[in-house]
Amino acid sequence: MKALSCLILIISVCHITLSQQPVKNRLYLRTGTTAPALLSQQQLQDLTRSSTPVANRRFAILQFESMPTAADRMNLAKQGITLLDYIPNAAYTVSMSKPVTANLLRSLHVRSVQPVSTTLKINDQLKKYLTNNQSTDVVLAWFREIPFDTVTHQLAKQGLMVKDHTAKDYQLVTMHVPAGKMNTLLNMPFVYYVDVVPPPAEPLNFESRKGTRANVLQSNVPGGYHLTGEGVTLAICEGGGPIAHTDFKDRLVQGPIDVLFHPTHVWGIAAGA
C-alpha cells in the first residue's frame, strides 16, 4: 500500500511539473496566448520570409531566458535590436535593423523568436470579418518606431482611412475597415494588433465625494466648512494632469500634458473641479 501511495505521489508530482512547464514559457498577448518553439536558424529564416521591412526594420517577438538587464539591452542595441513593449513571460516586441543569426541571439540569452503573424494580431471577436463581406470599425495599434504620418500614408494607399487619431501619441487610432479589407490591414508590417472599439467611457467615481462626505468641506450650510480650495496650490508628484482635461483646464500652473490613467485619477480626487 505504501509503495502504491509513493507511486501515485511520484506520478502526481511529475504531472504537475510537466503541466506547469509550458505555462512558464507561454506568451500572453493581448489577442491570446501562444507557446513559441525554441530558437533555431529556421525560425529566423521564417521571420525573414514572412515579414516585410518597414522603415528598414523588421518587427518580431523575442522571448528571453530571463529578463534582460541594462547590459543586455546595450548589447542588443549594438546588434540593431530595440526592445519595444513587454509581453509576459520574459518577452518583448522588438525592431531589428540588422541581420542576426541564431548563435548570436543565443549569446544574447534569447530563447525564441517569433514573427508577429496575422493570427497574433487580431482579437477573436474580429476574426469573423476575415471571411464575411462586412465592414467594421476597429482600434489599430502600431509599433512605436513607425511615425504616425507613415502609418496614415500606408493605410491610405490601401484605401483605409483613420476616423479618430486622438490617441495617436500612444500608437492607437480608430479606423474603418471596409468589407474584404481586414486581411489587407493585418498583413501590413507596422501593425501590432487590431482590437474591437471599446464602449464609451463611463464615470466610475463621480459620486465618491458624497460617499466619503468630502462635500461637507465645501458646504456652507450649518455643519459645513465652506472650503472651496480657492488660493490653495497642490503639488501632485505622480504625472498625469492633462491641461486639456475639463477638470484641470486653466487651473494647471505647471506640469505634464500626458493622459495617464492612475495619475489622472489621483489628480481628479485631489483637485477635480
Side-chain angles (χ1 to χ4, degrees):
M1 187 68 181
K2 288 184 178 180
L4 179 59
S5 299
C6 291
L7 178 60
I8 293 172
L9 177 61
I10 291 171
I11 292 174
S12 299
V13 170
C14 290
H15 173 73
I16 293 172
T17 303
L18 291 173
S19 62
Q20 287 182 343
Q21 185 63 25
V23 174
K24 175 184 176 182
N25 297 319
R26 290 193 73 83
L27 298 180
Y28 292 85
L29 304 167
R30 186 182 184 91
T31 53
T33 66
T34 183
L38 287 174
L39 175 64
S40 68
Q41 192 61 37
Q42 184 63 49
Q43 280 187 333
L44 292 175
Q45 292 172 1
D46 292 343
L47 173 64
T48 302
R49 185 175 59 255
S50 62
S51 63
T52 303
V54 55
N56 297 318
R57 295 175 175 86
R58 293 184 189 275
F59 294 95
I61 298 172
L62 295 189
Q63 186 178 48
F64 296 84
E65 297 293 350
S66 58
M67 289 298 294
T69 64
D72 292 333
R73 288 171 179 264
M74 290 181 61
N75 290 330
L76 288 162
K78 291 176 182 177
Q79 302 301 327
I81 300 173
T82 303
L83 304 187
L84 300 176
D85 295 320
Y86 176 72
I87 299 173
N89 289 301
Y92 283 86
T93 54
V94 302
S95 71
M96 307 170 71
S97 60
K98 298 179 182 179
V100 294
T101 65
N103 286 336
L104 172 63
L105 291 179
R106 289 191 189 97
S107 72
L108 297 170
H109 314 297
V110 173
R111 179 187 178 276
S112 71
V113 58
Q114 180 165 331
V116 188
S117 63
T118 57
T119 56
L120 299 181
K121 291 181 179 183
I122 187 169
N123 183 296
D124 282 344
Q125 297 179 51
L126 294 173
K127 288 182 178 178
K128 61 184 178 182
Y129 295 101
L130 293 171
T131 53
N132 66 20
N133 194 32
Q134 295 182 18
S135 62
T136 187
D137 289 347
V138 300
V139 173
L140 167 70
W142 69 92
F143 296 107
R144 57 184 165 88
E145 288 207 331
I146 305 302
F148 174 66
D149 290 344
T150 300
V151 171
T152 54
H153 177 70
Q154 293 297 323
L155 289 173
K157 286 172 62 176
Q158 299 296 331
L160 300 167
M161 299 297 174
V162 170
K163 293 181 64 175
D164 183 356
H165 56 75
T166 305
K168 66 181 177 65
D169 291 341
Y170 300 92
Q171 294 77 52
L172 294 170
V173 294
T174 301
M175 59 178 296
H176 183 71
V177 183
K181 286 283 190 176
M182 187 65 78
N183 274 304
T184 300
L185 177 62
L186 293 174
N187 280 298
M188 303 184 87
F190 57 80
V191 172
Y192 182 9
Y193 63 81
V194 177
D195 208 345
V196 296
V197 177
E202 296 182 15
L204 297 178
N205 66 341
F206 65 104
E207 295 288 354
S208 61
R209 185 165 59 177
K210 294 179 183 178
T212 59
R213 296 178 62 92
N215 59 327
V216 175
L217 298 175
Q218 292 185 324
S219 177
N220 57 3
V221 301
Y225 293 92
H226 194 45
L227 299 176
T228 65
E230 183 178 355
V232 176
T233 301
L234 291 176
I236 300 177
C237 303
E238 201 186 348
I243 60 176
H245 194 289
T246 184
D247 275 357
F248 314 128
K249 188 176 182 181
D250 302 324
R251 301 172 59 221
L252 188 61
V253 177
Q254 182 179 1
I257 62 173
D258 293 334
V259 179
L260 304 172
F261 294 104
H262 186 264
T264 301
H265 189 173
V266 172
W267 277 67
I269 291 172

